[in-house]
Amino acid sequence: MSDEQDRPLRFLRSWALERRQRQAGDSDGEAHAPLAGYADFVLSFRHTGPAADAQAALEDVVKRLAHAGLSVEVRAAQCARRHGRSATFEAVAGQLLLFIECPRSRLEHEWSRSRLHDWLGGMVALRRGADGSLEVDSDAQDDPSRLIVHASDDPTAELISVSERQRLVQRLVTGAESEGGAAIGAADGVGAVVAMHDRRFNQRWLRHWGGKWLIDRQDLRRIREHFGDEVAMYFAFLQSYVLWLALPGAVGAAWWALGRSFSWQFGVLLVLWGVLFTETWARRQSDIATYWGVHGVERARESRRPEFRADRYVIDAATGERVPAFSGAQRWLRRLLGVPVVAALSLVMAVFIALIFALQTFLSEFYAGPFATVLGLAPAVLFSACLPAYTALCTRMAAALTNYENYEFEAEHAAQFTAKIFVFRFLQDQLYLFLTAWVFVPYRDVFGGWVHGAYSALSTDKAATLKFSATPAAELVQNMLTGFVVTSQLVGMATETGLPLVLRWWNSRSLAHASQVSTAAGNDHNHEASSISGTGNGHRHVLSNMLAVAPTGVDTWVESANDADAPADIQQQFVARVTEELALPEYTTFEDYAEMASQFGRVAFFSVAWPLAPLAALMNNWLELRTDAAKICSATRRPTPRRVESIGPWLDTLRFMCWLSSITNALLIYQFHSNCAFLPHADADAMQRFGRTSLSFALVVLLFSEHAFLAVRWAVTHVMASWPGAYARITERARAQSRRRWLDKAPSVLRDLAADTAGDLSQDAAGSLAADSDDASIGAGADWRAELELGCRAIACWGKPKAE
């Protein structure tokens, strides 16, 4: 094994040689092409069975990768063991690293195939016009052969981004063999397919964002080119959400300073704000998708999920190919079988939260015995300790049910998974507050009687250990909301960013001293090429960025590149860093979107009770932009690029919460607003303890607010529809240009007909039509005066008495 470890990685050796040649050329003032790439992905291969089975599995994986047109280099995974200020490297038993590289010719073929598939799926090919504006590529639309990328000696013949290259290569690795892929997955012993972080880019990214208040289009463009559409769309959404929170944040702060909680004006503003935000974001994400050239990508359905299992084959209507499919009736049956499972899990979660709520209410509102303060913390500890674990169980069950439903494409799979998870997240985030406002507060005396009656049966010293709930109703709701908002944001930021960083530090501390010199010198040598040797818009290859240079530096390796071997300690340190990065958790935008959706719900539902909630969300999200960037760079694997044209099912989730907020805001204002002119008067003592509790009037308020919300949303959507979006403008302009090009080639009579928008034909055209027609009256106009005279006589008779 030692001989195998000393053998230098081919792509690293090639990089060292080319780097030395370019440095020598630069010193002579010569221009050289950018460095070629090294490797696109690293696969973690694990096998716990007998050696013969492991060798057979590895052979199968490598052969499939080779048949997909990919180059492979295999190395044993390594870990570092710290010994004082030095480190030794040991092979990790049962794990191999497969470095994957895609040749230029294979990448060109896959890029052409992707563009043609987009065209067949109905996506419109776009390009930049001479004035820089976006327009339809009419040549490619009319002649799809122009979408094909041909091999060229020019290294800048066709350009794509880093993320686009990684997306194509990742599809070759995991795609079905029938589609030219290798179909590599967990069943083959491959635990991860990961692209390495570009640490130089990450450092520049964090430094740049840390010095500015807001991100702009150029920032989003760089994120898209590096991490793909999905990550860039999330940051675009988060930025838009931050900006939209400014209005309710400022008004809420003013209302809070004036002591105006449960204000109906602020409640109306919140509902209008929610509608305007969701509808304008729907327009904005469509415009973003248009400018990024991915509008319609979810409809095009580029590649099937590797986990999809077909039960039959059908003929594709667009291509005429025989493609795998799954019965819709069978899928619906599986979905129906999952409904009772989700309902049961939700019921258990609701009961658990209700029990925690009852315990919390008893200890905070009724119990006055020993250790009351300490025991008051028990429900929160129990809630924090048990509920996340149960939520994780529900998430795994939802993932299993969604996989069982066997969706063909990722968009459908994500939508169904999100719908299941939303139920659990909604109960976890909002049920506690709902129980406080609409169960405990209106019936607190009933609960108090139950508690005192039960305690009397168990103890004779009731007066010494029990009290009556005396906290004002409005204050109780406000305190509960304040605690939830502040605690959830602090805990979320700590667990999302701080804890992963601590765990990574703990796992990587064995390399801290061994790489101290190289880290201080900034030795992340990821000289990513600006092309893909024929396909790359600023393509930068991504693997050598993990190169941890030994104290002698990479230049030592460059100088010795002509020797038989490169310094072994440099390569061992590099492989150890790759192994460490493969151990990081995978990054997905799901948790980030779920966090924002939960926060949006609390802001929309309960801000009338605590007007500072939007301002707190604004400050949290401004930090979230930067902490999420730091999390991606340091605490997770590099995200795998995915093409998206929207935030997916989360927009429907936000719209549902907007609808529900129209009800919750109206009920909170009705229940706790003390002196509203159009609400019924309530006794001061009852108002302080319970609020208004008339169920019939609450139902009237609920129906009125819900219908008012529907009317407002209808008005907003119809007003916005009068201003077409970017996609509609571009496609309409393209259709007009296409019609004009056709008319330029059409006969003169047809051009005159097209120009006659008001029915005023030229004399020559009218004469020509009359001459060519079998009906001589067409165009002659001979009888119109007689007919006009007849009509005038009839009008003159109007109103005259009829002759006997």
Side-chain angles (χ1 to χ4, degrees), residues 74-147:
V74 181
R75 291 292 183 275
Q78 293 192 12
C79 65
R81 303 296 182 186
R82 179 184 172 187
H83 303 284
R85 297 184 60 86
S86 62
T88 59
F89 302 93
E90 301 177 0
V92 178
Q95 183 180 7
L96 296 175
L97 305 182
L98 280 64
F99 296 92
I100 307 300
E101 181 182 5
C102 184
R104 169 186 170 179
S105 58
R106 186 69 178 94
L107 193 60
E108 287 177 342
H109 176 271
E110 193 65 17
W111 177 227
S112 300
R113 178 177 175 272
S114 175
R115 299 177 70 186
L116 184 60
H117 190 282
D118 292 344
W119 183 83
L120 291 172
M123 291 181 63
V124 178
L126 302 176
R127 66 184 177 189
R128 292 288 175 184
D131 58 352
S133 62
L134 203 62
E135 63 182 24
V136 174
D137 188 350
S138 56
D139 295 335
Q141 287 295 111
D142 298 338
D143 183 8
S145 64
R146 295 177 179 270
L147 298 171

Side-chain angles (χ1 to χ4, degrees), residues 606-628:
F606 299 105
S607 290
V608 291
W610 189 50
L612 285 180
L615 182 60
L618 171 64
M619 294 186 294
N620 174 83
N621 294 348
W622 186 86
L623 291 174
E624 189 83 10
L625 277 168
R626 287 130 184 99
T627 56
D628 283 346

